[in-house]
Amino acid sequence: MKILVTAGPTREYLDPVRFLSNPSSGKMGYAIAQAAQQKGHEVVLISGPSYLQPPKELQFVSIVSADEMKQQVDQWFEWADGVVMTAAVSDFKPKTRSSQKVKKQDEAALSVEWVQNPDILFELGQKKGKKWLVGFAAESKAILEHAQQKLENKNLDMIVVNDISQKEGGFESDQNQVHLIASNGAIEDIPKMSKSQIAEKLMEKIESKFAS
Ligand code: PMT
């Protein structure tokens, strides 16, 4: 299969040095890209800023903001059979971006006006046709209910939810504990294991469900 994977955070800059972002390291997405490639699939990995080395021998696209991620995802979507979106895309960006570093004395800078970023995965869900879509959800309460809502709202085939209220797992950690929810409502609990092992399991699931 031809698989498009997104990973890492986005950065929404207020000025040349300050931005809104989140702690996503890219570990989950890079592990999925690697597992997919090792299973013989063609992979494109689109990643926000990360200190990780991109897995070798796959097409790697580096982006910074949600708008850039959307542009690249839309461009590669035609090519792909399916998409796995692990990226933690910022839902908001500042309405304006200063081209100069904002001065401490600038009192107007104390309030920032935010506008919504595009929901990339939602828009893919509107035009997916025969392609399959797997989303991720980082939730801190009522995790299965909230993930189920995202699965339905974004027209996904599967969603992987992680509970970020737990001390370990989720952002930055080498390990995670997740639940896979399929579009028919079936839930599979994956106990705590390394993100590489989760990636392997997820790829097995994807192959059994979507490879024709
Ligand atoms: O990178 P790591 O440090 O390994 O951490 C992994 C992770 C915690 C980032 C990952 O496991 C994870 O949970 N990713 C989803 C993070 C999230 O909060 O997603 P969300 O609930 O905001 O969005 C749901 C889905 O819609 C995601 O697939 C997301 O990529 C997508 N989305 C969200 C917002 C937006 N504007 N556009 C989108 O496409």
Side-chain angles (χ1 to χ4, degrees):
M1 290 187 285
K2 293 176 177 160
I3 303 179
L4 179 56
V5 181
T6 68
T10 62
R11 285 183 185 174
E12 312 300 327
Y13 276 88
L14 293 152
D15 74 8
V17 294
R18 301 181 178 99
F19 54 82
L20 173 73
S21 192
N22 62 68
S24 172
S25 61
K27 286 177 185 173
M28 192 67 249
Y30 284 45
I32 291 170
Q34 198 145 28
Q37 190 196 27
Q38 279 164 3
K39 286 177 178 293
H41 303 291
E42 285 181 62
V43 182
V44 171
L45 174 61
I46 300 176
S47 175
S50 166
Y51 293 107
L52 302 178
Q53 283 293 328
K56 289 196 182 95
E57 287 159 25
L58 58 73
Q59 178 91 29
F60 181 77
V61 181
S62 171
I63 58 88
V64 175
S65 66
D67 284 327
E68 286 172 19
M69 180 166 278
K70 176 176 162 46
Q71 193 197 355
Q72 289 297 328
V73 167
D74 285 348
Q75 197 170 311
W76 283 100
F77 187 59
E78 280 304 303
W79 165 88
D81 296 311
V83 180
V84 185
M85 280 214 53
T86 76
V89 183
S90 173
D91 288 318
F92 308 103
K93 65 183 170 192
K95 189 171 182 191
T96 55
R97 174 177 172 168
S98 168
S99 58
Q100 304 297 324
K101 185 178 172 193
V102 174
K103 292 286 174 208
K104 187 173 159 184
Q105 297 78 4
D106 181 358
E107 289 204 357
L110 291 177
S111 0
V112 176
E113 196 174 343
W114 301 98
V115 293
Q116 290 228 314
N117 266 326
D119 189 326
I120 303 167
L121 193 51
F122 175 85
E123 291 181 22
L124 296 185
Q126 302 301 297
K127 59 174 184 186
K128 74 181 205 187
K130 291 199 167 72
K131 298 177 194 284
W132 51 264
L133 297 178
V134 175
F136 267 68
E139 303 291 344
S140 55
K141 63 173 185 183
I143 67 165
L144 294 177
E145 289 86 340
H146 287 152
Q148 183 85 42
Q149 282 163 10
K150 285 181 184 169
L151 174 95
E152 287 166 21
N153 172 256
K154 299 191 190 212
N155 195 20
L156 308 179
D157 299 281
M158 196 193 297
I159 195 157
V160 183
V161 55
N162 37 195
D163 182 352
I164 53 166
S165 68
Q166 302 293 315
K167 270 199 175 141
E168 288 176 45
F171 292 102
E172 293 179 298
S173 157
D174 288 332
Q175 297 191 316
N176 209 357
Q177 182 188 344
V178 301
H179 310 273
L180 311 186
I181 311 179
S183 55
N184 64 4
I187 299 175
E188 190 176 330
D189 301 326
I190 310 280
K192 191 165 159 190
M193 57 181 72
S194 73
K195 286 183 176 172
S196 306
Q197 288 170 313
I198 291 175
E200 287 267 323
K201 285 205 173 292
L202 181 61
M203 277 315 302
E204 280 164 20
K205 198 84 190 166
I206 285 173
E207 285 178 338
S208 73
K209 278 181 82 75
F210 309 128
S212 50

